[in-house]
Amino acid sequence: MSSTRTLTKIIAMILCLVMALTCLTACGGSSASSDEVLSQNGDKPGTVIEETDEYVTIVDQAGREVTAKKKPETIALCYRVIIRFLLNLEQGDKIVGVGKSEKFLDELEPNIANAVDVGKGVADVEAVAELNPDIFLHKASDVETLDAIQDLGIPSVGIRVENQEDMVTAFEIMGKICGKEDKAKELIDFYNSHIEKCQSLTKDIENKKSAIVMGSSIGKVADGSMLQGNMIEIAGGINCADELKATELWPTAGAEQIFAWNPDYIFITNQEGAVYDADDILNDPAWSEITAVKNKDVYVMPAKEDSWELPGIVSVIGIEYMIRTMYPDLLSDEELEKDVNDLYELSYGKTFERDELGY
């Protein structure tokens, strides 16, 4: 092993130790605020500070100015939710380092299955250093890791996708860095036009349905700061958990609070790790007096192979599904299917049969 590589590994190990100690004293388990983080100069995320034919300096979603090579040949990440964004931007073949993926994504881009493990959620700094990708993408809330990777000479970009505005900015940033501005604009235009369609469909609703989206365990809900909570509102519903005060994603409201809210509809996340399903709620006598249970309006969000409430362009189809479920007269099943096909054709260059996705 060369002396340079040995030094790099030593630095990486030291940084790992520093990050671990920092996390013990500062992390506390809370999530970052959804408020936009500006750079030291007051620039918004996505602002291009300087640009040449080969490099771009851009403000990431952690408010950091990052200089990165345009059109990177190799990309690493352990923030799994943004794999979809990269595939949408036709960058799947550039992914050389990843934490945990999904069967659906691995089948779309077999290259991902062969990528180096660089940490599942928490970055393995030493593995990233060894891989030495052209760029490292990570969650904007974990500035310690971003700075640690940056200190190794690897451009690290903070990404945040907790709400609609964040997702658009994320597409803009990744599109700029990857030289895919046109594709990013196409994806953003599709997303925005379908959001406008949903808002137009639901603008005249007088008697809005109340609803919640529950997370991986019973009692965890999407509050007003989360994408899934926003989806209910765009779909013409009232998010019962909108005003819930919390310092974590998927805060625990508890069964008693949900009983008090008495929602008309209960949507359940279809993300990996969910430890219950609709039948567990529908068949539990303790929940029998809730309106959603009485009317059997408890649903696991589709689709089985690609969760429609995940951050990304696919979430707009999740909103349409909510409209179709809560207000079936406003959107036909045929129109929903057409929009699903249009989205997957744009996002992945192919369509799927309904039973392939599972909706």
Side-chain angles (χ1 to χ4, degrees), residues 8-301:
T8 298
K9 289 175 71 66
I10 292 172
I11 293 172
M13 291 173 67
I14 293 172
L15 287 170
C16 283
L17 178 60
V18 171
M19 288 163 56
L21 292 173
T22 301
C23 188
L24 285 173
T25 57
C27 289
S30 63
S31 62
S33 168
S34 61
D35 294 336
E36 191 171 55
V37 180
L38 305 180
S39 73
Q40 289 183 343
N41 295 322
D43 295 311
K44 292 184 176 182
T47 301
V48 174
I49 305 301
E50 187 177 356
E51 186 174 11
T52 67
D53 291 339
E54 295 184 0
Y55 292 89
V56 60
T57 300
I58 195 166
V59 178
D60 71 4
Q61 288 173 285
R64 302 158 60 254
E65 291 186 11
V66 181
T67 299
K69 177 183 176 181
K70 279 185 178 179
K71 300 182 180 179
E73 297 178 3
T74 55
I75 301 171
L77 68 149
C78 62
Y79 185 29
R80 63 185 288 191
V81 72
I82 57 176
I83 297 176
R84 283 174 169 77
F85 288 71
L86 291 171
L87 296 189
N88 295 163
L89 291 167
E90 302 166 343
Q91 299 298 293
D93 61 330
K94 310 291 179 60
I95 299 174
V96 295
V98 71
K100 190 173 183 180
S101 183
E102 302 165 38
K103 179 183 176 182
F104 176 74
L105 302 179
D106 291 346
E107 291 177 350
L108 284 169
E109 180 49 72
N111 174 65
I112 297 175
N114 299 318
V116 174
D117 185 349
V118 292
K120 295 172 176 60
V122 177
D124 182 337
V125 178
E126 184 177 346
V128 177
E130 188 77 18
L131 191 59
N132 194 31
D134 289 335
I135 193 165
F136 177 72
L137 302 172
H138 192 51
K139 52 190 175 185
S141 60
D142 188 3
V143 176
E144 290 83 9
T145 296
L146 289 166
D147 288 345
I149 300 297
Q150 190 80 31
D151 288 343
L152 294 173
I154 300 171
S156 61
V157 179
I159 299 294
R160 184 175 61 197
V161 291
E162 296 301 337
N163 57 47
Q164 282 82 11
E165 185 177 352
D166 285 346
M167 290 191 301
V168 168
T169 301
F171 269 122
E172 291 173 342
I173 291 173
M174 287 186 272
K176 188 67 177 179
I177 290 172
C178 296
K180 287 289 185 178
E181 294 103 321
D182 290 344
K183 182 65 176 182
K185 184 178 186 304
E186 191 177 5
L187 291 160
I188 292 168
D189 287 347
F190 181 96
Y191 179 79
N192 286 336
S193 67
H194 281 72
I195 288 291
E196 291 172 2
K197 171 185 175 177
C198 293
Q199 291 171 330
S200 178
L201 287 173
T202 60
K203 64 182 176 65
D204 294 325
I205 295 175
E206 293 184 358
N207 298 314
K208 293 187 174 184
K209 304 295 186 181
S210 62
I212 58 172
V213 178
M214 285 208 300
S216 58
S217 60
I218 294 175
K220 286 185 174 292
V221 296
D223 64 14
S225 69
M226 292 178 60
L227 168 69
Q228 292 82 357
N230 298 153
M231 288 171 63
I232 292 174
E233 296 173 355
I234 297 174
I238 299 171
N239 179 19
C240 298
D242 180 56
E243 297 299 325
L244 187 66
K245 302 300 180 184
T247 57
E248 59 179 345
L249 294 176
W250 294 107
T252 300
E256 186 176 343
Q257 177 61 72
I258 294 173
F259 296 165
W261 285 332
N262 190 27
D264 297 315
Y265 288 81
I266 296 175
F267 297 102
I268 300 170
T269 182
N270 193 30
Q271 296 179 32
E272 184 181 35
V275 296
Y276 68 106
D277 59 21
D279 286 342
D280 291 322
I281 299 295
L282 291 169
N283 297 327
D284 187 340
W287 290 68
S288 61
E289 294 304 309
I290 293 180
T291 299
V293 177
K294 285 181 178 178
N295 297 331
K296 299 188 183 305
D297 285 322
V298 181
Y299 306 92
V300 174
M301 286 291 292

Side-chain angles (χ1 to χ4, degrees), residues 333-357:
D333 189 64
E334 293 75 17
E335 190 169 6
L336 173 61
E337 184 174 1
K338 178 184 180 303
D339 287 346
V340 170
N341 290 335
D342 288 348
L343 179 137
Y344 281 98
E345 181 66 43
L346 174 63
S347 298
Y348 303 112
K350 63 180 296 186
T351 58
F352 299 87
E353 298 295 328
R354 293 183 73 135
D355 60 352
E356 287 182 283
L357 287 175

